[in-house]
Amino acid sequence: MWGTTHAIHTAAGTRGVVPPAHVGFTTAPRAVRARVARPNAQGYRMSNVQIAREVGAQCTLREQVGLPREILQLSENVSTQRRGISHKMQPLLDRLDSVPDFSVSGSLSTRNPDLQSFGLKDRFNLNSSQEGLDEFESEVEQLVYDLGKLADVEHAAVTVCVTRNTTCSRLHVDNVGLRILCTYRGPGTEWVASPVLNRIMSESVRNGGNSFSDAIKGVVTAVAPIKRAEEGEVVILKGQGFPNSRGRAIVHRSPLVAEIPGGEDKEFVRLLVKIDDGCC
């Protein structure tokens, strides 16, 4: 029987670790590459040993964070991980009310993800200050890297969007392998929390929609218990494209604002990241 996995990973004690000889400088996160390239307070750039330690610590951090591997089991179709939201990201989240809706997508390498090509500074209408953007981009790059390790893929399809609409209000399954959804502000993704009802509906739509599957969907929508992700909670969804998962994929939807207490009278702004295990 599938369940929901909650995991908390830390990287305590990783400072000062020198990486193996094959770990290159370009494999470190972008924020670290920028930091070690700057002169220190005495005007000297960091030594090769200092760079190795910085890069090694961050590479080790990436390896240790990871994603719960239970999702790879046949019996599992959804898994969650509560990573939380860094306080350094808060300035960006606080200004979302003044940011127009947007959606930007692209394919990133999972070995060395870099979101700079997405032009998010302009999308968020930021001035010369990054206002939390560096932290947000680092978080997303970490997720891309982690999905690459989990799914053993070299590229990931990434979407970053700010929206005030319910984009996928109907319960459905995805035609992908693994998909990560993380809402950094606003109500999170919802999914059917009953294994039996999820299997019935997933099986009914495995070959596409028809009058029978529409009837099943109506029943499930009316009676199924629904779980909703919290802000900053990473949700890993298994789609029909995952091996042996046709008829087993997780049934989910975007949050229905009208069903959130006070939602009919409040404009919700969501900052959502979607990452799929492929370049398409």
Side-chain angles (χ1 to χ4, degrees), residues 103-107 117-118 123 157-160 274:
S103 179
V104 57
S105 303
S107 175
S117 61
F118 277 44
R123 299 282 185 172
V158 182
T159 299
V160 177
K274 177 178 72 174

mmCIF file of all heavy atoms in Angstrom, residues 103-107 117-118 123 157-160 274:
data_model
loop_
_atom_site.group_PDB
_atom_site.id
_atom_site.type_symbol
_atom_site.label_atom_id
_atom_site.label_comp_id
_atom_site.label_asym_id
_atom_site.label_seq_id
_atom_site.Cartn_x
_atom_site.Cartn_y
_atom_site.Cartn_z
ATOM 1 N N SER A 103 4.843 32.797 -16.724
ATOM 2 C CA SER A 103 5.292 31.404 -16.735
ATOM 3 C C SER A 103 6.461 31.298 -17.704
ATOM 4 O O SER A 103 6.360 31.715 -18.863
ATOM 5 C CB SER A 103 4.161 30.465 -17.177
ATOM 6 O OG SER A 103 4.604 29.118 -17.218
ATOM 7 N N VAL A 104 7.573 30.784 -17.223
ATOM 8 C CA VAL A 104 8.756 30.627 -18.060
ATOM 9 C C VAL A 104 9.271 29.202 -17.910
ATOM 10 O O VAL A 104 9.334 28.669 -16.796
ATOM 11 C CB VAL A 104 9.848 31.659 -17.690
ATOM 12 C CG1 VAL A 104 10.226 31.558 -16.228
ATOM 13 C CG2 VAL A 104 11.068 31.519 -18.578
ATOM 14 N N SER A 105 9.607 28.578 -19.034
ATOM 15 C CA SER A 105 10.019 27.178 -19.036
ATOM 16 C C SER A 105 11.304 26.998 -19.819
ATOM 17 O O SER A 105 11.662 27.819 -20.678
ATOM 18 C CB SER A 105 8.920 26.288 -19.638
ATOM 19 O OG SER A 105 7.703 26.421 -18.954
ATOM 20 N N GLY A 106 11.984 25.911 -19.534
ATOM 21 C CA GLY A 106 13.203 25.588 -20.260
ATOM 22 C C GLY A 106 13.769 24.255 -19.802
ATOM 23 O O GLY A 106 13.313 23.666 -18.819
ATOM 24 N N SER A 107 14.755 23.773 -20.534
ATOM 25 C CA SER A 107 15.433 22.525 -20.203
ATOM 26 C C SER A 107 16.769 22.851 -19.550
ATOM 27 O O SER A 107 17.526 23.677 -20.058
ATOM 28 C CB SER A 107 15.652 21.684 -21.467
ATOM 29 O OG SER A 107 16.402 20.517 -21.177
ATOM 30 N N SER A 117 19.425 31.695 -17.301
ATOM 31 C CA SER A 117 18.873 31.846 -18.644
ATOM 32 C C SER A 117 17.366 32.107 -18.628
ATOM 33 O O SER A 117 16.794 32.504 -19.640
ATOM 34 C CB SER A 117 19.162 30.587 -19.476
ATOM 35 O OG SER A 117 18.552 29.447 -18.888
ATOM 36 N N PHE A 118 16.715 31.917 -17.498
ATOM 37 C CA PHE A 118 15.274 32.127 -17.410
ATOM 38 C C PHE A 118 14.914 33.612 -17.280
ATOM 39 O O PHE A 118 13.749 33.968 -17.418
ATOM 40 C CB PHE A 118 14.703 31.364 -16.209
ATOM 41 C CG PHE A 118 14.426 29.906 -16.474
ATOM 42 C CD1 PHE A 118 15.343 29.126 -17.158
ATOM 43 C CD2 PHE A 118 13.270 29.318 -16.034
ATOM 44 C CE1 PHE A 118 15.106 27.785 -17.394
ATOM 45 C CE2 PHE A 118 13.013 27.980 -16.266
ATOM 46 C CZ PHE A 118 13.939 27.211 -16.952
ATOM 47 N N ARG A 123 11.492 39.104 -14.775
ATOM 48 C CA ARG A 123 10.137 38.590 -14.546
ATOM 49 C C ARG A 123 9.586 39.064 -13.203
ATOM 50 O O ARG A 123 8.395 39.362 -13.079
ATOM 51 C CB ARG A 123 10.146 37.062 -14.589
ATOM 52 C CG ARG A 123 10.596 36.469 -15.913
ATOM 53 C CD ARG A 123 9.498 36.519 -16.942
ATOM 54 N NE ARG A 123 9.893 35.846 -18.171
ATOM 55 C CZ ARG A 123 9.068 35.608 -19.186
ATOM 56 N NH1 ARG A 123 7.811 35.984 -19.096
ATOM 57 N NH2 ARG A 123 9.501 34.993 -20.277
ATOM 58 N N ALA A 157 12.955 19.252 -17.463
ATOM 59 C CA ALA A 157 12.107 20.331 -17.958
ATOM 60 C C ALA A 157 11.597 21.126 -16.762
ATOM 61 O O ALA A 157 10.932 20.574 -15.884
ATOM 62 C CB ALA A 157 10.945 19.762 -18.766
ATOM 63 N N VAL A 158 11.921 22.412 -16.724
ATOM 64 C CA VAL A 158 11.638 23.245 -15.555
ATOM 65 C C VAL A 158 10.691 24.377 -15.935
ATOM 66 O O VAL A 158 10.864 25.020 -16.978
ATOM 67 C CB VAL A 158 12.938 23.832 -14.974
ATOM 68 C CG1 VAL A 158 12.647 24.665 -13.730
ATOM 69 C CG2 VAL A 158 13.935 22.722 -14.657
ATOM 70 N N THR A 159 9.701 24.609 -15.084
ATOM 71 C CA THR A 159 8.782 25.731 -15.250
ATOM 72 C C THR A 159 8.699 26.504 -13.948
ATOM 73 O O THR A 159 8.525 25.908 -12.876
ATOM 74 C CB THR A 159 7.372 25.263 -15.641
ATOM 75 O OG1 THR A 159 7.430 24.571 -16.899
ATOM 76 C CG2 THR A 159 6.414 26.442 -15.774
ATOM 77 N N VAL A 160 8.841 27.815 -14.024
ATOM 78 C CA VAL A 160 8.653 28.710 -12.882
ATOM 79 C C VAL A 160 7.502 29.642 -13.236
ATOM 80 O O VAL A 160 7.506 30.250 -14.313
ATOM 81 C CB VAL A 160 9.918 29.531 -12.578
ATOM 82 C CG1 VAL A 160 9.657 30.500 -11.426
ATOM 83 C CG2 VAL A 160 11.097 28.620 -12.258
ATOM 84 N N LYS A 274 7.712 23.679 -11.255
ATOM 85 C CA LYS A 274 7.430 22.333 -11.762
ATOM 86 C C LYS A 274 8.682 21.805 -12.462
ATOM 87 O O LYS A 274 9.286 22.496 -13.280
ATOM 88 C CB LYS A 274 6.264 22.357 -12.743
ATOM 89 C CG LYS A 274 5.950 21.009 -13.368
ATOM 90 C CD LYS A 274 4.754 21.102 -14.302
ATOM 91 C CE LYS A 274 5.092 21.852 -15.586
ATOM 92 N NZ LYS A 274 3.976 21.834 -16.566
#
